[in-house]
Amino acid sequence: SMAPPPKPERNLNDLKKELEVDDHKITTEELYRKYQVNPDTGLTAAQAKANLEKYGPNALTPPPTTPEWVKFLQALFGGFALLLWLGAGLCFLAYTIQASTLEEPPDDNLYLGIVLSAVVIITGIFSYYQESKSSKIMESFANLVPQYALVLRDGEKITAKAEELTVGDIVEVKFGDRIPADLRILEAKGFKVDNSSLTGESEPQSRSPEFTHENPLETKNLAFFSTNAVEGTARGMVVNIGDNTVMGRIAGLASGLDMGDTPIAKEIAHFIHIITGVAVFLGVTFFIIAFILGYHWLDAVIFLIGIIVANVPEGLLATVTVCLTLTAKRMASKNCLVKNLEAVETLGSTST
């Protein structure tokens, strides 16, 4: 497959501007001249190939995805897990101090450190597995239905993949089809489209070759990518493809948004701050008291570490992950897929 040309960085402000096209205003003759196409035979194979190289495939650029290893590390070291790693590290530190000063050091800190590390690793793998399983199912849905279009090339009607369409192609659509790109309608027989996904109009909108409105979203002679044809048949010319279609611009705006933290992530972050504050405060207080009471400073350090570790709720991470996973499984049995475990709790905190 041919690599698409490098796309310039898309500026969100450019996408937010009103759609500026004049393809619906000009006459059909001017349109054929603009795109150098013969309406009776369509583009030649050479023209189609040249346009495809120039404009790239008729497909939306997928939003940037996080690499799998980064997701795995986020599951292992994100948020609360970090506190547990800190606890485990302090346990090992305490054991090391005891081992270097005592001839027969007690093993309890060593075992506690190993158990803490094991808990974090297992829960991290668990939540990563759950989320990656869901996202793989979602990806398989995306590839489930490759879309095809009936296109006129070199005077012959051929069925081509929608992503192989290019600007200037003459396309035929009928009821039940998804519109494969932004089209200027050239001929229509009782043709109606469902524009609800774009404009919110629930009634099917009739489409015809006449220019009826300055606004491209209102005029009757444009049909838009990813809307559905609900009645009749039509022939149209592709005037915009992929990311430049109206739907592509909306998708670009939507994927450019920053996702905020989920309610449970905010709650856990807040909880971590409180716990850390309490643990350090208590630890330091008792460290000072132990020092005043005349303990050896190494013993006081062990004391400090012990109190900090004791304040870390080790079981919380595992409990939260298991609870969310069980809920996600119950939702999956009712045909509802959860891509992100934290979304389960968000759904639970929405008001009706």
Side-chain angles (χ1 to χ4, degrees), residues 172-350:
E172 295 199 359
V173 279
K174 62 182 187 308
F175 57 92
D177 288 350
R178 253 180 77 199
I179 308 290
D182 283 3
L183 305 179
R184 158 78 186 258
I185 304 295
L186 306 173
E187 293 169 27
K189 296 188 181 76
F191 189 58
K192 288 188 177 179
V193 288
D194 172 14
N195 274 356
S196 57
S197 56
L198 274 181
T199 59
E201 297 163 296
S202 54
E203 294 290 312
Q205 304 293 309
S206 66
R207 288 286 171 256
S208 60
E210 293 82 43
F211 161 56
T212 56
H213 204 288
E214 287 284 327
N215 184 341
L217 289 172
E218 301 286 342
T219 185
K220 287 196 169 179
N221 60 358
L222 286 183
F224 300 107
F225 169 61
S226 96
T227 59
N228 286 317
V230 287
E231 273 181 45
T233 57
R235 171 185 276 226
M237 184 197 285
V238 176
V239 289
N240 266 325
I241 58 167
D243 289 330
N244 294 324
T245 60
V246 177
M247 191 54 96
R249 292 159 64 98
I250 293 173
L253 281 172
S255 66
L257 293 175
D258 290 331
M259 301 303 283
D261 284 340
T262 58
I264 195 167
K266 287 179 189 159
E267 292 281 337
I268 289 178
H270 180 58
F271 180 71
I272 290 171
H273 291 146
I274 294 173
I275 288 288
T276 312
V278 169
V280 171
F281 172 73
L282 283 177
V284 170
T285 310
F286 280 91
F287 175 75
I288 294 166
I289 293 171
F291 219 62
I292 293 167
L293 290 177
Y295 281 85
H296 188 266
W297 71 272
L298 273 179
D299 289 338
V301 169
I302 300 289
F303 214 57
L304 165 78
I305 291 173
I307 287 174
I308 291 177
V309 172
N311 275 297
V312 175
E314 291 84 2
L316 184 73
L317 182 65
T319 313
V320 169
T321 308
V322 168
C323 285
L324 293 179
T325 306
L326 289 174
T327 315
K329 281 208 177 324
R330 276 168 55 200
M331 288 170 77
S333 67
K334 293 188 165 58
N335 295 334
C336 175
L337 271 180
V338 179
K339 280 165 71 178
N340 177 349
L341 278 185
E342 288 181 352
V344 173
E345 197 274 339
T346 311
L347 198 60
S349 53
T350 48

